[in-house]
Structures are given as C-alpha cells and as structure tokens.
Amino acid sequence: MNDNPYYVPGIPEDETKDHIVIAEGLGGLVKCIAINTTETIRNICDIHKTSSSASCALGRFVTGSLLISESMKRPTDKQTTILRGSGPLGGITCVTEYGYKVRAYPLENDIPTEYYRPGKVNVSAAVGEGTLTVIRDIGLKEPYVGSTELISGEIAEDFTYYLAKSEQTPSIVSLGVLIEKGEVTHSGGLMIQLLPGAGEKEISYLEARAKEFPEISFLQQEGFTPAKILDLFMGDPDLKYLSGSPVSFECTCSKYRMSEGLIALGRKELEELVKDGEGIDTQCHFCNKSYHFTPEDIEELIRSC
Ligand SMILES: [Zn+2]
C-alpha cells in the first residue's frame, strides 16, 4: 500500500521529470489524462533552434500528440501527427512511439513571434489555416488515417475538433507552454474524454470545471504534477489513478534507416552519386544528426537495390 494520495503506478520516482498520468473519474464515465512535457519540449526546441512562437506551437502540438497517443498498446505501435498551415511556421511533423517516446520537427524554425499580451504568444498567427492529420499504425492491415481542418490554429481547439469529428470522441483538451527569455520553462497538457454511458450530467459538470480552470503552465509553475492537475480539474473524491509512464524525446534514426531513404532514390540516381566520388551526407529531420555515405557505401546499396 502506498499512502501518498497522488501515487500513480509507473511514473518516475522523481515526480518533476516528464510523465503522463491516466485516471478515471465520475464513477468510471470519464477518462482523464494529464502530462508534463517540459524537458521533452525543451530538448526538441533546442535541437531545432526555434523562435518563441515556433517553440510554443511545437510544444502544444507535441503535447497534444502525446495525449491522443494513449491508445497505443504494443511495442511496434506508432502514431504520426501532421500539422500543415498557411502561416510562417508551415507545419510540424511529430512521431510518437510506444512508451511515449516522441520526436518532431517544424517546417520553419526561426519565425517572428506575435503576442496577444506580454508573455502570451499568438500561436494561430504562426500556424494559419490548414489541416491536422493523424496516422496511427497499430498493427491493423491498413494504418488508421484521420484528418480535419484547423478551426483556430491555437492547437488545443484543433485537437478537440479533430477528436470530435474524426474519432467521434467528445473531449476537452488544454495545452500550455510557457516561454521565458526564449526558453521553454513549462509545458504540459490535459485531456478529458467521455466514456460510453456518460450523459448530459457529466458534460455540464465538465464544462463548468473547464470554464474556471487555470492555464496548465501556470499550475506547473506552482508545482502541480499531472496527478494533482487532474485532481484539481475533476474535483472528484473518487478519482482513480490507473497508470503512468515517463515521457521522453527519442529519435530512432540510424545509418541503416537513412540508407532506406537513399535506396528509394533508385539505382540510376545512386550510380550518379558513386561517379561523383564524394559520397553524400544525409541529415535526420528529427534530430539533425548527419550520416555520411561514402561511394563504397553507395555501391553496397546499389547491390541491394
Ligand atoms: Zn534522428
């Protein structure tokens, strides 16, 4: 028995480290998920040298992508979320693997930042109009693909709309990224979903809670962990913490994986590269690591074409 009321099996021993918490509330009629992604987002933003508005968009999008990836159950499951917009950011591609391992890159990193008020970044100005696409490969014959248009560009609303329209799951999504002096200091999110059996009573209860609820990054600043954020949101003495997991940035690139991209160029193109005599440098979009292929490496690839 653990007598800590916020004890959640599976979370890191150090509760300030990034993690996700999954719980059930209102007598099992509501699924509640909260996440701290501060370190993960900081890592991704450092790699891509993002300006404040790009960091904010990236932080919200990656956090939302992690929240909706919760249904992945097998080690080979993978989710790709793609944001494309008409704004200066261009978009973001994010891949989440089983175990909440995530990687992402923005199409443009160094874009101007507009503010609604001091400290409050106008993310929709960076994103613009566009689409949100989710591709989920969970071992079925074909991967699941869902896509909706962006309704605000502020990202949390766009995930809510996506979940309602494409997955028929009424949800509340709240995402927050706090940036001070260009650095991500806090990042996190919350998602509440109605389960079968929930009705008007639960909906109006949750709507009222959401109306008064502070910003996630403000709560994080005050030291609230994901478990405490869920407790505060739900106000439900019978809230049941089901499970938790660490969350981290992780890129799975390798020279082998990069070689698959080169093979896709085709034999003719590869033969040209060999003739060139210099080989080729390829770079991973997600972590910016580069891999050099010598002419001999490329000849090897041609043999496997
Ligand atoms: Zn990589």
Side-chain angles (χ1 to χ4, degrees):
M1 255 329 260
N2 192 306
D3 50 13
N4 171 6
Y6 298 109
Y7 171 75
V8 184
I11 68 166
E13 207 163 299
D14 177 355
E15 289 182 9
T16 64
K17 298 262 181 235
D18 288 3
H19 67 274
I20 189 164
V21 168
I22 296 139
E24 221 173 59
L26 306 184
L29 294 175
V30 173
K31 179 154 86 177
C32 326
I33 308 178
I35 190 168
N36 173 7
T37 54
T38 305
E39 194 68 41
T40 305
I41 300 306
R42 205 181 284 146
N43 281 336
I44 295 174
C45 291
D46 282 351
I47 289 168
H48 298 293
K49 300 184 173 50
T50 42
S51 63
S52 292
S53 67
S55 297
C56 221
L58 198 58
R60 288 189 199 173
F61 190 66
V62 171
T63 303
S65 300
L66 282 160
L67 284 171
I68 69 160
S69 78
E70 182 269 332
S71 56
M72 298 200 295
K73 299 284 178 253
R74 303 167 327 134
T76 49
D77 289 354
K78 190 164 113 175
Q79 174 191 274
T80 305
T81 40
I82 302 165
L83 178 78
R84 287 294 177 267
S86 58
L89 180 70
I92 299 170
T93 299
C94 175
V95 177
T96 312
E97 307 227 21
Y98 176 78
Y100 305 101
K101 295 183 175 79
V102 72
R103 58 188 189 271
Y105 67 90
L107 294 186
E108 296 294 334
N109 60 336
D110 193 11
I111 55 169
T113 301
E114 282 181 31
Y115 293 91
Y116 286 119
R117 55 179 158 82
K120 184 79 181 159
V121 174
N122 181 346
V123 173
S124 68
V127 172
E129 292 177 2
T131 51
L132 167 60
T133 303
V134 178
I135 305 163
R136 229 177 254 137
D137 192 349
I138 51 169
L140 304 173
K141 228 180 206 167
E142 296 284 327
Y144 161 87
V145 183
S147 188
T148 48
E149 69 267 36
L150 302 177
I151 55 157
S152 87
E154 289 288 333
I155 299 178
E157 293 87 337
D158 302 307
F159 273 110
T160 307
Y161 182 71
Y162 164 81
L163 289 166
K165 192 136 190 230
S166 195
E167 301 193 8
Q168 286 82 45
T169 311
S171 317
I172 292 169
V173 180
S174 175
L175 304 168
V177 177
L178 192 69
I179 295 176
E180 280 171 51
K181 298 191 180 106
E183 277 282 306
V184 174
T185 58
H186 295 89
S187 174
L190 166 87
M191 182 169 80
I192 310 290
Q193 293 189 319
L194 295 181
L195 294 172
E200 282 308 318
K201 196 173 134 217
E202 286 76 25
I203 292 174
S204 44
Y205 178 81
L206 294 171
E207 279 175 350
R209 303 293 300 180
K211 216 182 235 169
E212 304 293 327
F213 203 66
E215 286 182 25
I216 299 285
S217 49
F218 169 76
L219 293 173
Q220 290 184 303
Q221 256 182 315
E222 297 295 307
F224 277 72
T225 59
K228 285 184 184 167
I229 289 173
L230 286 182
D231 183 41
L232 185 71
F233 185 92
M234 292 303 295
D236 173 4
D238 297 322
L239 182 71
K240 207 161 107 194
Y241 296 116
L242 301 177
S243 63
S245 168
V247 170
S248 59
F249 162 76
E250 201 172 293
C251 193
T252 53
C253 66
S254 63
K255 194 163 179 182
Y256 175 75
R257 286 205 171 186
M258 288 304 199
S259 72
E260 292 174 331
L262 283 179
I263 290 171
L265 291 175
R267 180 176 277 266
K268 206 164 160 241
E269 195 85 8
L270 291 176
E271 280 168 353
E272 288 296 317
L273 283 171
V274 174
K275 261 188 234 155
D276 226 13
E278 307 219 316
I280 190 171
D281 283 313
T282 59
Q283 196 177 33
C284 171
H285 287 308
F286 290 99
C287 71
N288 285 345
K289 193 170 169 186
S290 55
Y291 294 88
H292 183 71
F293 288 82
T294 63
E296 293 73 36
D297 290 335
I298 299 168
E299 279 176 337
E300 185 83 22
L301 294 179
I302 293 172
R303 279 195 286 276
S304 67
C305 267

